[in-house]
């Protein structure tokens, strides 16, 4: 019999999270830390520990200069400049609503986007069009680049005199724009390498970019001469499935070497690593997720700076922050953990300051400011623990493929009481579900409180384990992902006998919605009903970059695309299709109806 308990709202589930800092930026000199909290812009002064609300908002995003003294942001399309040292805020007149504002590294000019044009405001308030043409998008992120994680479409030069900007007019090109007139085109073989994946322009040298072939199986890391726009190859990236660049790369190290993310897949190694001019910097047991920045080694000037990196060196449910030695002085690669407690840890860095965000299953993250080995401040006090019992998922690695899995029981569940099962696929392949981060479990705790044993499985195709684990789904995503979900469910019943496998529902969104629908259509013997929010029905309707990453080119293998297509009108009443914004109560009623009726 399905036990119905009082279900807290999703808003109640998120209590304590609204006041959590986010969008944290550390100034290049380590003097100030800017961040958003509940839509307001704040600044923390590291030397004194003082915190000030600069503007109550609503601020969705902001940009700062090099030392994080000057900030630029918009409120309802109106541009503002803020002095983060004094707290003074002034509105800046613009001819039209502004978007994506960023001060130059010196804090004198502010660049921003006006629709599809790029404009710059001078210190005297003069507002000038830097780039704009009819039917052309300047400075925007194109659809393909968004699939690779690139979130910017224009970048200041370190000295502030130039802007590197994307021009999208059918195809994507890149241009160096001089504030005082003229531009230079960046030259690479755009026909062969159409995808502009990563761009970085730091203090260590000229711009660096990563470009990929349309097949995504080969790429180049190129340096750009900012005077001529000519490019030079620094590294080649290749993979028979697809190249997966490491976030935060490429970039120049302080000694001039170029840092590139890559993979080791020979001699028993299976890892995402970092290389500097071809030399391995990271131990093969470390799965690198993101390069945060560079931190000087205090008291050891000859040793060179450390790289601050987010990655995993054990259980994929955890992410830690590491200091990676950049100087190769014997002993091989060296990675030192800066975080030790189990959880999901992130970082930002500037000067000699590291800000660590540490999450667990107990509550929202705490942001700790560290200088050297000492904690010198926090951005916000931890939220008080709820008096209500908070259920914790039981994590495991199951099947011979060691799939990360978790079972979340309802509050107060007593062993021996059989429960209906809800398999939560989230956003589906490519997105980890089994992580030690409270924010990832809010929806699932709501479903557990409704009386379900909520199961999450990171099937093959999910990042965080190893490159081979992630890429084995190439051209056979449906078969591999669905088989892993079924096998994991069967394996979990060994240590979780209260899972009632005759009453299994499945839900997901996007690609997760596609997999949920596929599960109830192709494996109705296991999955009795499914809810698909905004599901992908046909991979040809996805952005080309995303579809071809998993399935290759449709022209080469139309049968692969046909195998992954959902029927337009599947002949089953066990599938509910919703949009992303639909009321969760509709899901709950549908799933309860289908899982409960099997008992009667």
């Amino acid at each position: 019999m399905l036990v119905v308990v009082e279900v807290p709202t999703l808003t109640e589930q998120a209590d304590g999270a609204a006041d959590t800092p986010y969008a944290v930026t550390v100034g290049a000199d380590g003097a100030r830390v800017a961040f958003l909290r509940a839509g307001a812009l704040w600044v923390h002064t590291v030397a004194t520990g003082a915190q000030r609300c600069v503007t109550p908002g609503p601020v969705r995003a902001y940009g700062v200069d090099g030392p994080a003294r000057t900030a630029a942001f918009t409120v309802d399309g109106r541009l503002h400049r803020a002095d983060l040292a004094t707290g003074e805020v002034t509105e800046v007149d613009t001819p039209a609503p502004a978007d994506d504002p960023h001060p130059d590294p010196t804090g004198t000019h502010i660049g921003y986007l006006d629709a599809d044009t790029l404009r710059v405001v001078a210190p005297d308030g003069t507002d000038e069009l830097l780039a704009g043409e009819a039917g052309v998008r300047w400075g925007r992120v194109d659809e393909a680049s968004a699939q690779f994680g690139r979130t910017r479409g224009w970048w200041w030069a370190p000295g502030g005199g130039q802007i590197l900007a994307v021009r999208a007019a059918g195809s994507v090109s890149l241009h160096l724009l001089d504030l005082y007139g003229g531009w230079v085109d960046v030259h690479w073989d755009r026909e062969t390498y159409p995808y502009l994946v990563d761009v970085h322009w730091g203090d260590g040298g000229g711009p660096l970019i990563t470009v990929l072939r349309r097949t995504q199986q080969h790429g180049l890391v190129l340096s750009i001469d900012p005077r001529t726009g000519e490019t030079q190859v620094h590294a080649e990236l290749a993979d028979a499935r697809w190249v997966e660049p490491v976030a935060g790369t490429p970039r120049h190290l302080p000694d001039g070497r170029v840092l590139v993310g890559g993979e080791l897949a020979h001699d028993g190694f299976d890892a995402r690593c970092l290389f500097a001019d071809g030399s391995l910097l990271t131990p093969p047991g470390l799965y690198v997720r993101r390069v945060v920045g560079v931190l000087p080694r205090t008291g050891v000037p000859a040793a060179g700076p450390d790289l601050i990196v987010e990655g995993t060196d054990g259980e994929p449910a955890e992410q830690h922050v590491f200091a990676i030695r950049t100087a190769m002085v014997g002993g091989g690669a060296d990675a030192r953990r800066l975080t030790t407690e189990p959880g999901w840890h992130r970082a930002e860095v500037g000067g000699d300051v590291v800000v660590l965000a540490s999450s667990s299953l107990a509550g929202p993250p705490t942001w700790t400011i560290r200088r050297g080995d000492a904690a010198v401040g926090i951005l916000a006090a931890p939220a008080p623990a709820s008096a209500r019992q908070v259920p914790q998922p039981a994590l495991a690695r199951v099947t011979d493929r060691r799939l990360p899995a978790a079972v979340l029981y309802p509050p107060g569940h007593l062993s021996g009481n059989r429960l209906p099962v809800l398999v939560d696929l989230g956003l589906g392949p490519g997105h980890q579900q089994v992580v030690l981060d409270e924010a990832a479990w809010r929806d699932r705790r709501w479903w557990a409180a409704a009386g379900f044993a909520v199961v999450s499985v990171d099937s093959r195709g999910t990042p965080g384990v190893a490159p081979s684990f992630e890429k084995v789904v190439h051209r056979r995503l449906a078969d591999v992902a669905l088989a892993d979900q079924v096998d994991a469910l069967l394996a979990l019943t060994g240590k979780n006998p209260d899972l009632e496998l005759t009453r299994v529902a499945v839900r997901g969104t996007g690609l997760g919605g596609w997999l949920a629908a596929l599960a109830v259509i192709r494996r109705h013997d296991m999955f009795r009903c499914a809810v698909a929010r905004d599901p992908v029905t046909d991979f040809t309707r996805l952005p080309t970059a995303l579809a071809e990453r998993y399935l290759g080119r449709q022209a080469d293998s139309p049968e692969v695309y046909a195998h992954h297509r959902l029927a337009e009108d599947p002949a089953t009443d066990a599938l509910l299709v919703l949009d992303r914004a639909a009321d969760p109560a509709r899901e709950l009623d549908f799933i309860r109806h289908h899982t409960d009726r099997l008992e009667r």
Side-chain angles (χ1 to χ4, degrees), residues 458-489:
D458 285 339
S459 59
R460 287 171 293 172
T462 306
V465 177
S468 65
F469 186 93
E470 185 174 355
K471 297 179 180 181
V472 70
V473 298
H474 186 59
R475 294 165 57 87
R476 56 194 190 112
L477 177 63
D479 297 332
V480 171
L482 189 52
D484 282 356
Q485 295 294 329
V486 172
D487 292 347
L489 269 175

PDB file of all heavy atoms in Angstrom, residues 458-489:
ATOM      1  N   ASP A 458      24.104   7.156 -12.483  1.00  0.00           N
ATOM      2  CA  ASP A 458      24.935   7.796 -13.503  1.00  0.00           C
ATOM      3  C   ASP A 458      25.386   6.720 -14.473  1.00  0.00           C
ATOM      4  O   ASP A 458      26.402   6.041 -14.259  1.00  0.00           O
ATOM      5  CB  ASP A 458      26.125   8.505 -12.865  1.00  0.00           C
ATOM      6  CG  ASP A 458      25.727   9.795 -12.172  1.00  0.00           C
ATOM      7  OD1 ASP A 458      24.654  10.339 -12.509  1.00  0.00           O
ATOM      8  OD2 ASP A 458      26.477  10.265 -11.298  1.00  0.00           O
ATOM      9  N   SER A 459      24.608   6.539 -15.532  1.00  0.00           N
ATOM     10  CA  SER A 459      24.943   5.524 -16.525  1.00  0.00           C
ATOM     11  C   SER A 459      26.158   5.954 -17.330  1.00  0.00           C
ATOM     12  O   SER A 459      26.598   7.112 -17.260  1.00  0.00           O
ATOM     13  CB  SER A 459      23.748   5.297 -17.451  1.00  0.00           C
ATOM     14  OG  SER A 459      23.395   6.506 -18.099  1.00  0.00           O
ATOM     15  N   ARG A 460      26.690   5.044 -18.093  1.00  0.00           N
ATOM     16  CA  ARG A 460      27.785   5.409 -18.995  1.00  0.00           C
ATOM     17  C   ARG A 460      27.320   6.531 -19.917  1.00  0.00           C
ATOM     18  O   ARG A 460      26.173   6.584 -20.320  1.00  0.00           O
ATOM     19  CB  ARG A 460      28.229   4.186 -19.795  1.00  0.00           C
ATOM     20  CG  ARG A 460      29.010   3.173 -18.980  1.00  0.00           C
ATOM     21  CD  ARG A 460      29.234   1.887 -19.768  1.00  0.00           C
ATOM     22  NE  ARG A 460      27.978   1.171 -19.998  1.00  0.00           N
ATOM     23  CZ  ARG A 460      27.849   0.104 -20.780  1.00  0.00           C
ATOM     24  NH1 ARG A 460      28.908  -0.349 -21.449  1.00  0.00           N
ATOM     25  NH2 ARG A 460      26.679  -0.493 -20.909  1.00  0.00           N
ATOM     26  N   GLY A 461      28.241   7.423 -20.241  1.00  0.00           N
ATOM     27  CA  GLY A 461      27.893   8.647 -20.938  1.00  0.00           C
ATOM     28  C   GLY A 461      27.911   9.848 -20.020  1.00  0.00           C
ATOM     29  O   GLY A 461      27.814  10.990 -20.461  1.00  0.00           O
ATOM     30  N   THR A 462      28.058   9.598 -18.689  1.00  0.00           N
ATOM     31  CA  THR A 462      28.093  10.658 -17.694  1.00  0.00           C
ATOM     32  C   THR A 462      29.539  11.030 -17.388  1.00  0.00           C
ATOM     33  O   THR A 462      30.390  10.154 -17.225  1.00  0.00           O
ATOM     34  CB  THR A 462      27.407  10.190 -16.401  1.00  0.00           C
ATOM     35  OG1 THR A 462      26.095   9.719 -16.718  1.00  0.00           O
ATOM     36  CG2 THR A 462      27.300  11.320 -15.399  1.00  0.00           C
ATOM     37  N   PRO A 463      29.859  12.325 -17.283  1.00  0.00           N
ATOM     38  CA  PRO A 463      31.226  12.718 -16.917  1.00  0.00           C
ATOM     39  C   PRO A 463      31.517  12.412 -15.456  1.00  0.00           C
ATOM     40  O   PRO A 463      30.620  12.141 -14.662  1.00  0.00           O
ATOM     41  CB  PRO A 463      31.238  14.228 -17.186  1.00  0.00           C
ATOM     42  CG  PRO A 463      29.814  14.642 -17.051  1.00  0.00           C
ATOM     43  CD  PRO A 463      28.992  13.486 -17.537  1.00  0.00           C
ATOM     44  N   GLY A 464      32.803  12.474 -15.107  1.00  0.00           N
ATOM     45  CA  GLY A 464      33.218  12.352 -13.716  1.00  0.00           C
ATOM     46  C   GLY A 464      33.888  11.056 -13.352  1.00  0.00           C
ATOM     47  O   GLY A 464      34.519  10.965 -12.303  1.00  0.00           O
ATOM     48  N   VAL A 465      33.758  10.010 -14.195  1.00  0.00           N
ATOM     49  CA  VAL A 465      34.365   8.717 -13.881  1.00  0.00           C
ATOM     50  C   VAL A 465      35.678   8.563 -14.635  1.00  0.00           C
ATOM     51  O   VAL A 465      36.744   8.436 -14.042  1.00  0.00           O
ATOM     52  CB  VAL A 465      33.392   7.563 -14.214  1.00  0.00           C
ATOM     53  CG1 VAL A 465      34.059   6.210 -13.940  1.00  0.00           C
ATOM     54  CG2 VAL A 465      32.108   7.700 -13.391  1.00  0.00           C
ATOM     55  N   ALA A 466      35.603   8.526 -15.945  1.00  0.00           N
ATOM     56  CA  ALA A 466      36.783   8.381 -16.794  1.00  0.00           C
ATOM     57  C   ALA A 466      36.369   8.700 -18.227  1.00  0.00           C
ATOM     58  O   ALA A 466      35.193   8.567 -18.580  1.00  0.00           O
ATOM     59  CB  ALA A 466      37.354   6.962 -16.713  1.00  0.00           C
ATOM     60  N   PRO A 467      37.311   9.117 -19.088  1.00  0.00           N
ATOM     61  CA  PRO A 467      36.948   9.404 -20.478  1.00  0.00           C
ATOM     62  C   PRO A 467      36.281   8.235 -21.189  1.00  0.00           C
ATOM     63  O   PRO A 467      35.311   8.437 -21.938  1.00  0.00           O
ATOM     64  CB  PRO A 467      38.292   9.761 -21.111  1.00  0.00           C
ATOM     65  CG  PRO A 467      39.096  10.315 -19.994  1.00  0.00           C
ATOM     66  CD  PRO A 467      38.710   9.503 -18.797  1.00  0.00           C
ATOM     67  N   SER A 468      36.778   7.002 -20.974  1.00  0.00           N
ATOM     68  CA  SER A 468      36.178   5.861 -21.660  1.00  0.00           C
ATOM     69  C   SER A 468      34.743   5.628 -21.190  1.00  0.00           C
ATOM     70  O   SER A 468      33.864   5.266 -21.981  1.00  0.00           O
ATOM     71  CB  SER A 468      37.017   4.600 -21.431  1.00  0.00           C
ATOM     72  OG  SER A 468      37.012   4.241 -20.057  1.00  0.00           O
ATOM     73  N   PHE A 469      34.469   5.836 -19.914  1.00  0.00           N
ATOM     74  CA  PHE A 469      33.122   5.695 -19.357  1.00  0.00           C
ATOM     75  C   PHE A 469      32.171   6.709 -19.998  1.00  0.00           C
ATOM     76  O   PHE A 469      31.017   6.405 -20.285  1.00  0.00           O
ATOM     77  CB  PHE A 469      33.189   5.904 -17.845  1.00  0.00           C
ATOM     78  CG  PHE A 469      31.905   5.652 -17.101  1.00  0.00           C
ATOM     79  CD1 PHE A 469      31.642   4.408 -16.559  1.00  0.00           C
ATOM     80  CD2 PHE A 469      30.975   6.666 -16.910  1.00  0.00           C
ATOM     81  CE1 PHE A 469      30.462   4.159 -15.859  1.00  0.00           C
ATOM     82  CE2 PHE A 469      29.795   6.437 -16.220  1.00  0.00           C
ATOM     83  CZ  PHE A 469      29.545   5.171 -15.690  1.00  0.00           C
ATOM     84  N   GLU A 470      32.686   7.895 -20.233  1.00  0.00           N
ATOM     85  CA  GLU A 470      31.872   8.973 -20.784  1.00  0.00           C
ATOM     86  C   GLU A 470      31.592   8.789 -22.268  1.00  0.00           C
ATOM     87  O   GLU A 470      30.499   9.109 -22.747  1.00  0.00           O
ATOM     88  CB  GLU A 470      32.601  10.299 -20.547  1.00  0.00           C
ATOM     89  CG  GLU A 470      31.855  11.537 -20.951  1.00  0.00           C
ATOM     90  CD  GLU A 470      32.589  12.800 -20.546  1.00  0.00           C
ATOM     91  OE1 GLU A 470      33.636  12.697 -19.871  1.00  0.00           O
ATOM     92  OE2 GLU A 470      32.122  13.883 -20.895  1.00  0.00           O
ATOM     93  N   LYS A 471      32.566   8.240 -23.010  1.00  0.00           N
ATOM     94  CA  LYS A 471      32.470   8.263 -24.467  1.00  0.00           C
ATOM     95  C   LYS A 471      32.070   6.934 -25.092  1.00  0.00           C
ATOM     96  O   LYS A 471      31.897   6.853 -26.311  1.00  0.00           O
ATOM     97  CB  LYS A 471      33.802   8.734 -25.048  1.00  0.00           C
ATOM     98  CG  LYS A 471      34.153  10.159 -24.634  1.00  0.00           C
ATOM     99  CD  LYS A 471      35.486  10.605 -25.193  1.00  0.00           C
ATOM    100  CE  LYS A 471      35.819  12.018 -24.767  1.00  0.00           C
ATOM    101  NZ  LYS A 471      37.107  12.488 -25.321  1.00  0.00           N
ATOM    102  N   VAL A 472      31.894   5.889 -24.289  1.00  0.00           N
ATOM    103  CA  VAL A 472      31.513   4.589 -24.830  1.00  0.00           C
ATOM    104  C   VAL A 472      30.125   4.640 -25.455  1.00  0.00           C
ATOM    105  O   VAL A 472      29.749   3.744 -26.221  1.00  0.00           O
ATOM    106  CB  VAL A 472      31.583   3.513 -23.726  1.00  0.00           C
ATOM    107  CG1 VAL A 472      30.473   3.703 -22.708  1.00  0.00           C
ATOM    108  CG2 VAL A 472      31.558   2.113 -24.318  1.00  0.00           C
ATOM    109  N   VAL A 473      29.363   5.679 -25.176  1.00  0.00           N
ATOM    110  CA  VAL A 473      28.003   5.793 -25.722  1.00  0.00           C
ATOM    111  C   VAL A 473      27.992   6.312 -27.157  1.00  0.00           C
ATOM    112  O   VAL A 473      26.924   6.424 -27.758  1.00  0.00           O
ATOM    113  CB  VAL A 473      27.148   6.743 -24.847  1.00  0.00           C
ATOM    114  CG1 VAL A 473      27.015   6.202 -23.442  1.00  0.00           C
ATOM    115  CG2 VAL A 473      27.735   8.157 -24.833  1.00  0.00           C
ATOM    116  N   HIS A 474      29.139   6.632 -27.720  1.00  0.00           N
ATOM    117  CA  HIS A 474      29.183   7.221 -29.063  1.00  0.00           C
ATOM    118  C   HIS A 474      28.455   6.338 -30.071  1.00  0.00           C
ATOM    119  O   HIS A 474      28.773   5.154 -30.221  1.00  0.00           O
ATOM    120  CB  HIS A 474      30.647   7.414 -29.487  1.00  0.00           C
ATOM    121  CG  HIS A 474      30.796   8.137 -30.797  1.00  0.00           C
ATOM    122  ND1 HIS A 474      30.306   9.402 -31.008  1.00  0.00           N
ATOM    123  CD2 HIS A 474      31.403   7.771 -31.957  1.00  0.00           C
ATOM    124  CE1 HIS A 474      30.595   9.785 -32.236  1.00  0.00           C
ATOM    125  NE2 HIS A 474      31.249   8.817 -32.834  1.00  0.00           N
ATOM    126  N   ARG A 475      27.433   6.886 -30.694  1.00  0.00           N
ATOM    127  CA  ARG A 475      26.614   6.240 -31.720  1.00  0.00           C
ATOM    128  C   ARG A 475      25.711   5.133 -31.171  1.00  0.00           C
ATOM    129  O   ARG A 475      24.999   4.487 -31.943  1.00  0.00           O
ATOM    130  CB  ARG A 475      27.482   5.697 -32.859  1.00  0.00           C
ATOM    131  CG  ARG A 475      28.182   6.792 -33.656  1.00  0.00           C
ATOM    132  CD  ARG A 475      29.303   6.247 -34.532  1.00  0.00           C
ATOM    133  NE  ARG A 475      28.813   5.219 -35.443  1.00  0.00           N
ATOM    134  CZ  ARG A 475      28.286   5.445 -36.646  1.00  0.00           C
ATOM    135  NH1 ARG A 475      28.164   6.687 -37.093  1.00  0.00           N
ATOM    136  NH2 ARG A 475      27.896   4.444 -37.418  1.00  0.00           N
ATOM    137  N   ARG A 476      25.700   4.909 -29.851  1.00  0.00           N
ATOM    138  CA  ARG A 476      24.804   3.901 -29.270  1.00  0.00           C
ATOM    139  C   ARG A 476      24.320   4.340 -27.887  1.00  0.00           C
ATOM    140  O   ARG A 476      24.206   3.551 -26.958  1.00  0.00           O
ATOM    141  CB  ARG A 476      25.499   2.538 -29.203  1.00  0.00           C
ATOM    142  CG  ARG A 476      26.818   2.506 -28.452  1.00  0.00           C
ATOM    143  CD  ARG A 476      27.585   1.224 -28.716  1.00  0.00           C
ATOM    144  NE  ARG A 476      28.720   1.071 -27.827  1.00  0.00           N
ATOM    145  CZ  ARG A 476      28.816   0.157 -26.876  1.00  0.00           C
ATOM    146  NH1 ARG A 476      27.821  -0.687 -26.681  1.00  0.00           N
ATOM    147  NH2 ARG A 476      29.894   0.060 -26.122  1.00  0.00           N
ATOM    148  N   LEU A 477      24.000   5.624 -27.787  1.00  0.00           N
ATOM    149  CA  LEU A 477      23.587   6.212 -26.520  1.00  0.00           C
ATOM    150  C   LEU A 477      22.345   5.530 -25.948  1.00  0.00           C
ATOM    151  O   LEU A 477      22.292   5.207 -24.757  1.00  0.00           O
ATOM    152  CB  LEU A 477      23.320   7.711 -26.708  1.00  0.00           C
ATOM    153  CG  LEU A 477      22.801   8.483 -25.496  1.00  0.00           C
ATOM    154  CD1 LEU A 477      23.827   8.467 -24.384  1.00  0.00           C
ATOM    155  CD2 LEU A 477      22.454   9.915 -25.891  1.00  0.00           C
ATOM    156  N   ALA A 478      21.334   5.303 -26.791  1.00  0.00           N
ATOM    157  CA  ALA A 478      20.073   4.740 -26.298  1.00  0.00           C
ATOM    158  C   ALA A 478      20.289   3.367 -25.682  1.00  0.00           C
ATOM    159  O   ALA A 478      19.821   3.097 -24.562  1.00  0.00           O
ATOM    160  CB  ALA A 478      19.054   4.663 -27.436  1.00  0.00           C
ATOM    161  N   ASP A 479      20.977   2.494 -26.369  1.00  0.00           N
ATOM    162  CA  ASP A 479      21.147   1.126 -25.884  1.00  0.00           C
ATOM    163  C   ASP A 479      21.970   1.087 -24.601  1.00  0.00           C
ATOM    164  O   ASP A 479      21.620   0.392 -23.633  1.00  0.00           O
ATOM    165  CB  ASP A 479      21.816   0.266 -26.955  1.00  0.00           C
ATOM    166  CG  ASP A 479      20.955   0.139 -28.202  1.00  0.00           C
ATOM    167  OD1 ASP A 479      19.722   0.223 -28.074  1.00  0.00           O
ATOM    168  OD2 ASP A 479      21.515  -0.025 -29.300  1.00  0.00           O
ATOM    169  N   VAL A 480      23.073   1.839 -24.563  1.00  0.00           N
ATOM    170  CA  VAL A 480      23.960   1.795 -23.406  1.00  0.00           C
ATOM    171  C   VAL A 480      23.301   2.421 -22.190  1.00  0.00           C
ATOM    172  O   VAL A 480      23.297   1.842 -21.086  1.00  0.00           O
ATOM    173  CB  VAL A 480      25.300   2.495 -23.729  1.00  0.00           C
ATOM    174  CG1 VAL A 480      26.146   2.644 -22.466  1.00  0.00           C
ATOM    175  CG2 VAL A 480      26.066   1.732 -24.793  1.00  0.00           C
ATOM    176  N   ALA A 481      22.733   3.617 -22.357  1.00  0.00           N
ATOM    177  CA  ALA A 481      22.146   4.314 -21.208  1.00  0.00           C
ATOM    178  C   ALA A 481      20.962   3.553 -20.641  1.00  0.00           C
ATOM    179  O   ALA A 481      20.808   3.439 -19.412  1.00  0.00           O
ATOM    180  CB  ALA A 481      21.729   5.730 -21.614  1.00  0.00           C
ATOM    181  N   LEU A 482      20.114   3.008 -21.501  1.00  0.00           N
ATOM    182  CA  LEU A 482      18.945   2.280 -21.020  1.00  0.00           C
ATOM    183  C   LEU A 482      19.339   0.967 -20.346  1.00  0.00           C
ATOM    184  O   LEU A 482      18.807   0.602 -19.285  1.00  0.00           O
ATOM    185  CB  LEU A 482      17.990   2.020 -22.177  1.00  0.00           C
ATOM    186  CG  LEU A 482      16.609   1.457 -21.825  1.00  0.00           C
ATOM    187  CD1 LEU A 482      15.930   2.290 -20.752  1.00  0.00           C
ATOM    188  CD2 LEU A 482      15.745   1.372 -23.074  1.00  0.00           C
ATOM    189  N   ALA A 483      20.292   0.246 -20.917  1.00  0.00           N
ATOM    190  CA  ALA A 483      20.755  -1.003 -20.306  1.00  0.00           C
ATOM    191  C   ALA A 483      21.353  -0.749 -18.931  1.00  0.00           C
ATOM    192  O   ALA A 483      21.134  -1.529 -17.988  1.00  0.00           O
ATOM    193  CB  ALA A 483      21.781  -1.674 -21.220  1.00  0.00           C
ATOM    194  N   ASP A 484      22.101   0.350 -18.788  1.00  0.00           N
ATOM    195  CA  ASP A 484      22.706   0.648 -17.487  1.00  0.00           C
ATOM    196  C   ASP A 484      21.649   0.946 -16.431  1.00  0.00           C
ATOM    197  O   ASP A 484      21.787   0.548 -15.263  1.00  0.00           O
ATOM    198  CB  ASP A 484      23.667   1.833 -17.614  1.00  0.00           C
ATOM    199  CG  ASP A 484      25.002   1.447 -18.218  1.00  0.00           C
ATOM    200  OD1 ASP A 484      25.212   0.245 -18.464  1.00  0.00           O
ATOM    201  OD2 ASP A 484      25.837   2.346 -18.453  1.00  0.00           O
ATOM    202  N   GLN A 485      20.589   1.670 -16.804  1.00  0.00           N
ATOM    203  CA  GLN A 485      19.535   1.959 -15.832  1.00  0.00           C
ATOM    204  C   GLN A 485      18.863   0.675 -15.356  1.00  0.00           C
ATOM    205  O   GLN A 485      18.617   0.500 -14.155  1.00  0.00           O
ATOM    206  CB  GLN A 485      18.501   2.911 -16.460  1.00  0.00           C
ATOM    207  CG  GLN A 485      19.024   4.291 -16.806  1.00  0.00           C
ATOM    208  CD  GLN A 485      19.411   5.111 -15.585  1.00  0.00           C
ATOM    209  OE1 GLN A 485      18.820   4.971 -14.510  1.00  0.00           O
ATOM    210  NE2 GLN A 485      20.399   5.978 -15.735  1.00  0.00           N
ATOM    211  N   VAL A 486      18.575  -0.226 -16.280  1.00  0.00           N
ATOM    212  CA  VAL A 486      17.929  -1.489 -15.913  1.00  0.00           C
ATOM    213  C   VAL A 486      18.853  -2.347 -15.051  1.00  0.00           C
ATOM    214  O   VAL A 486      18.451  -2.873 -14.000  1.00  0.00           O
ATOM    215  CB  VAL A 486      17.503  -2.254 -17.174  1.00  0.00           C
ATOM    216  CG1 VAL A 486      17.014  -3.663 -16.820  1.00  0.00           C
ATOM    217  CG2 VAL A 486      16.411  -1.491 -17.923  1.00  0.00           C
ATOM    218  N   ASP A 487      20.104  -2.495 -15.485  1.00  0.00           N
ATOM    219  CA  ASP A 487      21.047  -3.325 -14.731  1.00  0.00           C
ATOM    220  C   ASP A 487      21.281  -2.772 -13.329  1.00  0.00           C
ATOM    221  O   ASP A 487      21.410  -3.534 -12.360  1.00  0.00           O
ATOM    222  CB  ASP A 487      22.376  -3.424 -15.485  1.00  0.00           C
ATOM    223  CG  ASP A 487      22.262  -4.217 -16.779  1.00  0.00           C
ATOM    224  OD1 ASP A 487      21.222  -4.884 -16.962  1.00  0.00           O
ATOM    225  OD2 ASP A 487      23.197  -4.157 -17.596  1.00  0.00           O
ATOM    226  N   ALA A 488      21.364  -1.450 -13.213  1.00  0.00           N
ATOM    227  CA  ALA A 488      21.589  -0.846 -11.902  1.00  0.00           C
ATOM    228  C   ALA A 488      20.398  -1.084 -10.977  1.00  0.00           C
ATOM    229  O   ALA A 488      20.571  -1.373  -9.781  1.00  0.00           O
ATOM    230  CB  ALA A 488      21.856   0.645 -12.053  1.00  0.00           C
ATOM    231  N   LEU A 489      19.192  -0.954 -11.501  1.00  0.00           N
ATOM    232  CA  LEU A 489      18.004  -1.219 -10.682  1.00  0.00           C
ATOM    233  C   LEU A 489      18.022  -2.639 -10.130  1.00  0.00           C
ATOM    234  O   LEU A 489      17.760  -2.870  -8.940  1.00  0.00           O
ATOM    235  CB  LEU A 489      16.744  -1.005 -11.516  1.00  0.00           C
ATOM    236  CG  LEU A 489      16.115   0.385 -11.513  1.00  0.00           C
ATOM    237  CD1 LEU A 489      14.947   0.436 -12.487  1.00  0.00           C
ATOM    238  CD2 LEU A 489      15.648   0.764 -10.110  1.00  0.00           C
TER     239      LEU A 489
END
